């Protein structure tokens, strides 16, 4: 035990180590505060939007909710709000939530012309990326590890103490040194996260999983530090070499991987399906009404026989056109989704080689703030849209009046259940790289001798 | 004497194998980034031009219809990518690049690349600008952090003094040595830019300013490294201080500041804007209400203008005229809402820009995005052009309805398909940053030059200090 205290005293005497740990703690705390603030802002926005939306809806109900009201008008003018409130752990890993919409209004018209609408974002503020705990872990914590561990061996050699240290009885010197620094880094990084979790009453299990990912990721970096530190003679060389590794692994290779993935998997289907949907909807006005209804009855057979109407226009025909438009582009929609998911999958695969990318994808899957989360939200909007359409069909096809009271019966969006999960593949990849690097680093450092320049 | 010190510095650096390899890697990375990014821009531009041509052709192919149907068939416009966007993609990945234009609605620009990518995109995009802004400073730090501290550690400062080198000359020599290296590191990127301009693919003026800006940016980091190396007692301390400065200035501040700005100025959502707009529009009047004061006044004005007393006697379709009036009103309201939102965005951005004095990265980033026409101002210009076009396009169709429909009549009046070819097409006017964004470009250049001046003052102080030590 006294050896551990002796080691702790050494760290306390090193300004660089103390400052690094204090800095990491401060950054982690700041990031958690900033993340909590971001999440609070999103909650406030949702509340504001819900209020504005409620007023709008009430005005529509007042205008169109007459005893002989037309369901077609009601469906046309009633926008319904869908929202995707930040999941509990979003504050730690905001992910794509700063650029993806988390409020969207839909009505019973074609879904595909509404689903991809963008919310107002300030692109310039989004450009550098968000400042959250995940950022501190992936980018900044490795630099702190480098500051703490780059001169473990070289520092002793330069101080002329290496021979003495190695000749002392007992073993486990390096593991003690590494272990203590590792624990201190994890504490400086983890305490603010735990505090944030408690403050936001998020589930501690998710935080535990995040800390596990962090521990593996930082284990990898300690392994790299051991490896490089035992291979070179001078502390400055070790620091330079380690920062070189950091640049490569967190700045250069991920951008290269991104360029390759974007190039290999185009996502143009989004535009294609929008254009195709427009053609389909507007063609509906020029073709025989029977053709549209026939196509519509394929998936809505219950309304067959109710399509006839007098005059040129009836809302049921209008909504059938829109639904047929959506169904026409179903394969394009599927292809678009597949391309987005493929990008996501290849990014996760890049994580098998790049620990930073793996840590990023693990954290955001746990927090449920990645592309998969956005797609899940879109799915829930689509489900709701179907409910909404099917709510109006009986009024439209059975010519039932739509009164003020019916406005109260319009279904409301039910928020999606969180889908945060612990992705095993990238976590195992992290475990493997961390174990490998720590093993090699440990092996190399155990073979360090006092020989060489002292 | 100064030149000899610089030469000695170059000789030392050439012997530093790791430094030479890192420099070569960075140069290679700049070239790879330029190549990859150029290919990407060409592909995106071809895609968007292809889409634009195809939707324009689709518009011509539409059958005979009521003009109002064409108002909602609408037009898609795609934002062309500026030629220099290969050098700095700026916000292009974060802004939607296609807008659906139709009557009485202002739709959002959709399908931003960042929304379609995994989180990998948030690590940054490989462009020459990314390499020069983020990575080059680190390389310059590594090459220069020992420059003066090394001499002090080895006790060679005294030796130099004996040879007649005083503090100012020593510092000037080191600055010259590392300044030249900084410019040499930027050279491949500059040559790419010059080649681009020589081929006539971009104007010389923004290219020259871009080169100037990046040259100053690289010089700032070379100078900073030498100055810190003068003040530090050990090389290691110089390295730690410089890496910390880089981390805060290049990585941390640009990320942390947006949250501050976003909290201070709330950006309303599109939904709120839409709701408010419909409320305001309803307040002006309801054209379907025969008792509505606003539209009754409009009717009286219209009847007076045509010198008739009844709507039925008008030579044009009254509903078409009401449509035009409604479009005018809603477009005005949209313009007001848009201005309000962009003013808020601008105030958020100004909050961040204010910190350029602390972190010159913000200045070079703004300068680079502005000159390559990939910043928010250039995007706003596209949005403005699209909106102005939308208004012309919709009103052309409304006018067709007012003028042509009375002569057609019948149950289902349709205007012949020939007319669609007379409807205007979107012709994007290339955005000239030097004309539209001169103040920001000038301001950011001044900030960068200010940094250079400030560092020169610090270098003079450092030189005096070293003179003291040497003596």
């Amino acid at each position: 035990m006294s050896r551990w205290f002796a080691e702790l005293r050494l760290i306390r005497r090193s300004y660089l180590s103390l400052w690094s740990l204090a800095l990491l703690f401060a950054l982690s705390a700041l990031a958690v505060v900033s993340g909590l603030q971001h999440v609070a802002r999103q909650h406030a926005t949702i509340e504001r939007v819900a209020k504005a939306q409620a007023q709008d809806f009430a005005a529509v109900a007042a205008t169109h909710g007459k005893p002989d009201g037309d369901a077609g008008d009601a469906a046309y003018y009633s926008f319904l709000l869908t929202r995707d409130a930040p999941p509990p752990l979003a504050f730690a890993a905001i992910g794509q939530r700063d650029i993806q919409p988390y409020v969207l209004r839909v009505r019973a018209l074609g879904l595909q012309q509404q689903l991809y609408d963008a919310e107002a974002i300030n692109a310039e503020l989004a450009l550098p990326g968000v400042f959250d705990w995940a950022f501190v872990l992936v980018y900044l914590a490795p630099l702190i590890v480098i500051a703490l561990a780059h001169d473990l061996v070289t520092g002793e050699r330069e101080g002329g103490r290496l021979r003495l240290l190695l000749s002392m009885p007992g073993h486990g010197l390096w593991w003690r040194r590494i272990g203590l620094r590792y624990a201190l880094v994890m504490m400086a990084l983890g305490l603010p996260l735990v505090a944030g979790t408690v403050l936001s009453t998020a589930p501690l299990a998710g935080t535990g999983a995040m800390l596990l990912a962090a521990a593996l990721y930082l284990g990898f970096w300690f392994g790299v530090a051991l490896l490089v530190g035992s291979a070179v003679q001078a502390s400055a060389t070790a620091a330079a070499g380690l920062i070189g590794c950091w640049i490569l692994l967190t700045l250069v290779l991920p951008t290269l991987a991104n360029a390759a993935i974007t190039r290999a998997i185009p996502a143009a289907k989004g535009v294609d399906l929008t254009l195709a949907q427009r053609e389909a909807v507007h063609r509906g006005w020029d073709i025989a009404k029977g053709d549209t209804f026939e196509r519509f009855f394929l998936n809505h057979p219950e309304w067959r026989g109710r399509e006839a109407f007098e005059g040129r226009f009836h809302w049921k025909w209008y909504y059938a056109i829109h639904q047929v438009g959506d169904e026409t582009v179903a394969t394009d929609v599927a292809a678009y989704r597949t391309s987005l998911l493929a990008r996501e999958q290849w990014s996760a695969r890049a994580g098998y080689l790049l620990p930073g990318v793996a840590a990023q994808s693990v954290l955001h899957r746990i927090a449920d703030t990645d592309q998969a989360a956005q797609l899940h939200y879109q799915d829930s909007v689509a489900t709701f849209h179907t409910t909404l359409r099917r709510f109006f069909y009986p009024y439209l096809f059975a010519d039932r009046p739509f009164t003020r009271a019916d406005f109260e019966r319009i279904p409301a969006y039910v928020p999606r259940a969180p889908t945060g999960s612990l992705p095993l593949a990238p976590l195992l990849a992290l475990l493997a790289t961390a174990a490998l690097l720590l093993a090699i680093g440990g092996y190399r450092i155990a073979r360090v001798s006092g020989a060489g320049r002292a | 004497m100064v030149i000899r010190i610089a030469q000695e510095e170059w000789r030392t650096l050439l012997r530093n194998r790791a430094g030479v390899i890192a420099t070569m890697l960075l140069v290679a990375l700049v070239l790879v980034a330029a190549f990859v990014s150029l290919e990407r821009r060409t592909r995106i531009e071809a895609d968007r031009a292809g889409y634009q041509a195809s939707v324009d052709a689709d518009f011509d192919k539409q059958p005979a219809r009521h003009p109002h149907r064409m108002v909602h068939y609408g037009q898609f416009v795609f934002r062309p990518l500026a030629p220099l966007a290969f050098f700095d993609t700026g916000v292009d990945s974060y802004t939607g690049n296609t807008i659906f234009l139709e009557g009485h609605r202002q739709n959002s620009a959709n399908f931003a690349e960042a929304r379609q990518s995994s989180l990998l995109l948030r690590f940054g995009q490989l462009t020459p600008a990314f390499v020069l802004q983020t990575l080059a400073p680190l390389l310059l730090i590594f090459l220069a952090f020992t420059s003066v501290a090394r001499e002090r550690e080895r006790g060679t400062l005294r030796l130099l003094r004996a040879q007649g080198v005083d503090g100012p000359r020593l510092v000037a020599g080191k600055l010259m040595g590392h300044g030249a290296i900084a410019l040499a590191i930027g050279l491949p990127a500059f040559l790419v830019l010059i080649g681009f301009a020589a081929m006539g693919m971009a104007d010389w003026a923004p290219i020259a300013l871009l080169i100037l800006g990046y040259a100053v940016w690289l010089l700032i980091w070379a100078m900073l490294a030498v100055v810190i190396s003068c003040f530090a007692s050990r090389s290691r301390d110089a390295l730690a201080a410089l890496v910390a400065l880089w981390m805060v200035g290049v990585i941390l501040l640009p990320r942390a500041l947006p949250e501050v700005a976003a909290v201070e100025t709330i950006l309303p959502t599109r939904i709120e804007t839409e709701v408010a707009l419909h409320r305001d529009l309803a307040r002006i009047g309801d054209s379907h209400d025969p008792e509505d004061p606003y539209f009754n006044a409009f009717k009286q004005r219209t009847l007076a203008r045509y010198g008739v007393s009844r709507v039925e006697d008008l030579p044009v379709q009254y509903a078409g005229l009401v449509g035009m009036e409604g479009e005018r009103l809603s477009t005005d309201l949209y313009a007001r809402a848009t201005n309000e939102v962009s003013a808020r965005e601008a105030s958020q951005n100004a909050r961040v820009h204010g910190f350029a004095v602390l972190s010159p990265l913000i200045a070079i980033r703004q300068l680079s995005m502005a000159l390559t026409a990939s910043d928010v101002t250039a995007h706003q210009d596209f949005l403005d052009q699209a909106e102005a076009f939308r208004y012309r396009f919709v009103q052309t169709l409304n006018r067709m309805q007012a003028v042509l429909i009375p002569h057609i009549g019948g149950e289902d009046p349709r205007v012949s398909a020939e007319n669609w070819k007379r409807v205007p097409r979107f012709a994007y006017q290339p955005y000239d940053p030097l004309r539209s964004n001169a103040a920001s470009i000038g301001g950011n250049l001044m900030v960068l030059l200010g940094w250079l001046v400030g560092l020169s003052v610090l270098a003079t102080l450092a030189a005096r200090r070293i003179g003291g030590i040497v003596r």
Side-chain angles (χ1 to χ4, degrees):
Chain A
M1 209 58 209
S2 63
R3 283 182 176 174
W4 287 92
F5 280 114
E7 199 56 51
L8 200 59
R9 264 201 300 280
L10 275 180
I11 293 178
R12 261 176 43 205
R13 277 199 212 126
S14 152
Y15 279 113
L16 183 64
S17 302
L18 270 188
W19 273 108
S20 303
L21 284 169
L23 182 68
L24 181 63
F25 179 77
L27 286 172
S28 175
L30 254 176
V32 167
V33 169
S34 169
L36 285 170
Q37 199 171 33
H38 195 123
V39 166
R41 205 149 45 80
Q42 295 202 348
H43 278 298
T45 304
I46 292 176
E47 229 165 87
R48 249 180 25 235
V49 170
K51 231 169 100 186
Q53 160 64 22
Q55 287 170 1
D56 190 57
F57 187 77
V60 171
T63 313
H64 298 282
K66 299 172 191 136
D68 61 339
D70 192 330
D73 285 326
Y76 188 85
Y77 292 104
S78 298
F79 286 92
L80 280 302
L81 183 65
T82 73
R83 61 198 178 278
D84 190 30
L89 279 173
F91 77 89
I94 292 162
Q96 292 207 323
R97 291 194 59 95
D98 62 330
I99 51 171
Q100 299 282 22
Y102 50 88
V103 282
L104 182 74
R105 294 201 304 174
V106 287
R107 46 180 172 164
L109 304 189
L111 174 69
Q112 296 303 323
Q113 66 192 32
Q114 309 176 66
L115 194 55
Y116 310 104
D117 276 356
E119 250 308 329
I121 63 156
N122 184 341
E124 197 179 303
L125 291 192
L127 181 60
V130 278
F131 178 58
D132 56 6
W133 189 80
F135 163 72
V136 172
L137 171 69
V138 173
Y139 282 81
L140 305 182
L143 286 172
I144 302 294
V145 171
I146 291 171
L148 284 174
H150 74 280
D151 61 346
L152 278 186
V153 182
T154 52
E156 301 302 344
R157 190 181 284 133
E158 282 158 350
R161 296 179 297 268
L162 187 59
R163 259 170 226 265
L164 184 69
L165 273 176
L166 288 174
S167 66
M168 290 207 313
H171 46 265
L173 165 76
W174 303 119
W175 289 119
R176 206 159 50 238
R177 303 207 127 172
I178 287 285
L180 192 64
R181 284 167 177 76
Y182 189 46
L184 288 172
V185 167
M186 279 305 293
M187 265 161 62
L189 189 70
L191 283 178
L193 179 69
V194 174
T197 310
V198 172
L199 271 179
S200 62
T201 62
L204 276 166
T207 311
M210 282 188 170
L211 286 173
L212 174 68
L216 293 177
Y217 179 57
L218 294 181
F220 165 80
W221 277 105
F222 270 106
V224 175
L226 283 181
L227 187 62
V228 175
S230 58
V232 300
Q233 296 288 323
S235 294
T237 322
L242 282 167
I243 291 180
C245 290
W246 178 82
I247 295 174
L248 212 61
L249 288 173
T250 56
L251 293 180
V252 177
L253 293 178
T255 53
L256 276 171
N258 180 56
I261 290 174
T262 322
R263 178 82 178 83
I265 309 165
K269 277 290 174 206
V271 179
D272 290 341
L273 79 89
T274 312
L275 296 178
Q277 197 258 4
R278 171 179 73 152
E279 290 302 327
V281 166
H282 286 270
R283 210 172 71 88
W285 291 77
D286 299 322
I287 59 175
K289 294 184 173 71
D291 293 352
T292 300
F293 278 120
E294 273 311 309
R295 181 69 185 75
F296 178 77
F297 292 146
L298 280 183
N299 291 313
H300 304 81
E302 64 274 27
W303 301 115
R304 189 180 282 281
R306 295 213 163 252
E307 68 271 29
F309 61 88
E310 281 174 19
R312 279 181 49 226
F313 180 85
H314 192 289
W315 281 112
K316 62 187 169 192
W317 171 59
Y318 181 83
Y319 289 105
I321 289 180
H322 273 261
Q323 177 55 22
V324 168
D326 272 2
E327 289 178 12
T328 313
V329 296
T331 48
D332 275 350
V333 173
Y336 181 51
R337 275 186 69 102
T338 310
S339 65
L340 297 189
L341 282 172
R343 283 179 167 195
E344 195 73 358
Q345 271 162 7
W346 277 101
S347 301
R349 281 178 197 150
Y352 298 161
L353 297 174
L354 303 170
V357 176
Q360 192 199 39
S361 71
V362 171
L363 289 182
H364 291 93
R365 193 75 290 277
I366 295 172
D368 198 23
T369 52
D370 51 2
Q371 180 74 264
Q374 174 66 18
L375 289 176
H376 193 240
Y377 172 48
Q378 288 188 356
D379 285 346
S380 76
V381 174
T383 310
F384 171 65
H385 180 261
T386 306
T387 314
L388 187 65
R389 281 190 299 113
R390 291 190 180 271
F391 167 78
F392 280 110
Y393 289 156
Y395 294 94
L396 293 165
F397 284 90
D399 281 316
R400 273 164 55 189
F402 201 89
T403 62
R404 184 68 183 261
D406 290 307
F407 273 93
E408 309 297 321
R409 296 191 188 103
I410 297 181
Y413 170 78
V414 182
R416 71 187 180 100
T419 56
S421 58
L422 190 60
L424 279 181
L427 204 64
L428 285 177
L430 264 182
L431 178 67
T433 42
L436 187 70
L437 262 294
L438 276 174
I440 301 177
Y443 174 75
R444 290 294 304 260
I445 207 160
R447 289 166 60 99
V448 163
S449 68
R453 279 179 292 161
Chain B
M1 185 63 83
V2 171
I3 292 181
R4 263 186 45 208
I5 293 171
Q7 283 170 341
E8 187 52 42
E9 194 69 16
W10 294 333
R11 255 196 294 279
T12 313
L13 284 173
L14 270 179
R15 279 199 298 271
N16 172 0
R17 223 173 33 170
V20 172
I21 293 174
T23 309
M24 277 160 44
L25 279 179
L26 188 98
V27 167
L29 201 60
V30 167
L31 294 176
V32 168
F35 177 76
V36 168
S37 192
L38 198 57
E39 196 267 349
R40 178 176 173 275
R41 190 209 87 91
T42 315
R43 193 159 37 82
I44 292 179
E45 180 57 17
D47 276 356
R48 294 188 191 172
Y51 274 122
Q52 190 66 66
S54 121
V55 295
D56 284 349
D58 283 346
F59 193 88
D60 285 343
K61 276 189 287 193
Q62 294 309 305
R65 277 179 184 160
H66 191 284
H68 194 71
R69 291 272 328 291
M70 290 307 277
V71 164
H72 288 289
Y73 178 79
Q75 287 203 9
F76 276 88
V77 294
F78 292 83
R79 180 182 170 196
L81 205 51
L84 276 175
F86 88 91
F87 196 80
D88 187 345
T89 48
V91 297
D92 183 68
S93 296
Y94 292 84
T95 52
N97 46 59
T98 173
I99 315 182
F100 176 53
L101 307 176
E102 60 178 325
H104 11 287
R105 259 175 85 82
Q106 212 182 71
N107 292 311
S108 56
N110 290 350
F111 297 111
E113 186 61 30
R115 282 192 60 190
Q116 308 187 106
S117 295
S118 71
L119 278 161
L120 209 48
L121 182 90
R122 307 312 279 281
F123 279 98
Q125 273 176 295
L126 190 66
T127 59
F130 170 75
V131 179
L132 290 180
Q133 288 174 15
T134 310
L135 304 182
L138 264 183
L139 176 67
L140 292 170
I141 287 174
F142 279 114
L143 296 180
F145 76 97
T146 61
S147 58
V148 180
R150 178 184 69 220
E151 309 272 4
R152 177 179 290 134
E153 279 173 326
R154 292 187 191 154
T156 39
L157 276 180
R158 250 169 245 285
L159 219 63
L160 287 167
R161 174 68 184 164
Q163 291 171 348
V165 181
D166 57 2
R169 286 204 187 135
L170 176 74
V171 174
K174 298 281 184 187
L175 282 178
M176 193 179 151
H178 287 282
I181 289 168
L183 294 181
I185 285 172
L187 194 64
F190 300 160
L191 286 178
V192 168
L193 284 174
I194 290 172
F196 204 66
M199 285 189 293
M201 292 165 85
D203 292 336
W204 281 102
I207 297 267
L209 287 173
L210 209 51
I211 292 176
L212 174 68
Y214 274 106
V216 174
W217 163 251
L218 294 173
L219 284 176
I220 285 174
W221 282 95
M223 270 185 100
L224 188 68
V226 171
V227 167
I228 298 277
S229 187
C230 288
F231 284 112
S233 49
R234 293 184 304 170
S235 298
R236 270 179 70 186
D237 297 346
L239 180 63
L242 283 164
V243 170
L245 279 176
W246 174 84
M247 193 172 108
V248 172
V250 176
I251 303 285
L252 195 60
L253 272 183
R255 273 200 182 229
L257 291 173
E259 183 57 30
V260 176
V263 168
E264 282 179 356
T265 313
I266 300 285
L267 205 60
T269 56
R270 288 185 66 86
I271 297 178
E272 290 164 278
T273 309
E274 284 278 324
V275 168
L277 195 123
H278 277 110
R279 203 177 43 222
D280 291 350
L281 209 54
R283 256 181 219 150
I284 293 179
D286 174 8
S287 59
H288 296 300
D289 179 3
E291 304 295 317
D292 185 83
Y294 183 87
F295 281 97
N296 270 338
F298 174 73
K299 193 199 284 180
Q300 295 314 320
R301 278 205 309 278
T302 309
L303 294 178
R305 190 153 47 118
Y306 284 96
V308 293
S309 55
R310 293 188 318 152
V311 165
E312 293 76 38
D313 299 335
L314 282 171
V316 292
Q317 192 209 37
Y318 181 64
L321 296 183
V322 170
M324 289 181 79
E325 177 67 4
E327 196 63 42
R328 190 182 69 77
L329 293 172
S330 65
T331 301
D332 274 355
L333 287 177
Y334 267 117
R336 225 182 303 155
T338 310
N339 288 342
E340 158 83 1
V341 171
S342 10
R344 278 171 184 255
E345 266 188 37
S347 109
Q348 287 185 336
N349 292 338
R351 187 81 174 100
V352 175
H353 299 171
F355 283 85
V357 182
L358 275 183
S359 162
L361 176 87
I362 293 167
I364 185 68
R365 197 184 66 192
Q366 291 311 119
L367 182 72
S368 173
M369 285 199 293
L371 287 169
T372 52
S374 61
D375 62 346
V376 281
T377 321
H379 183 67
Q380 190 58 49
D381 177 73
F382 165 74
L383 295 180
D384 292 345
Q385 287 192 33
E387 173 60 12
F389 166 73
R390 183 188 74 85
Y391 186 66
R392 272 198 304 135
F393 153 70
V394 172
Q395 293 298 53
T396 306
L397 285 168
N398 280 338
R399 199 168 298 117
M400 274 184 193
Q401 174 181 345
V403 175
L404 299 180
I405 291 293
H407 305 293
I408 297 167
E411 263 277 280
D412 181 10
R414 289 170 187 242
V415 163
S416 85
E418 280 307 300
N419 288 293
W420 309 148
K421 296 199 176 68
R422 292 197 289 122
V423 174
R425 288 307 128 88
F426 183 58
Y428 178 70
Q429 295 303 313
Y431 166 83
D432 179 5
L434 291 180
R435 229 187 34 228
S436 315
N437 209 1
S440 149
I441 291 170
N444 285 312
L445 262 180
M446 291 314 287
V447 170
L448 289 173
L449 289 170
W451 263 83
L452 217 48
V453 172
L455 283 171
S456 308
V457 173
L458 273 181
T460 321
L461 289 178
R464 255 194 232 139
R465 215 175 92 106
I466 284 180
I469 291 168
V470 172
R471 234 168 268 128

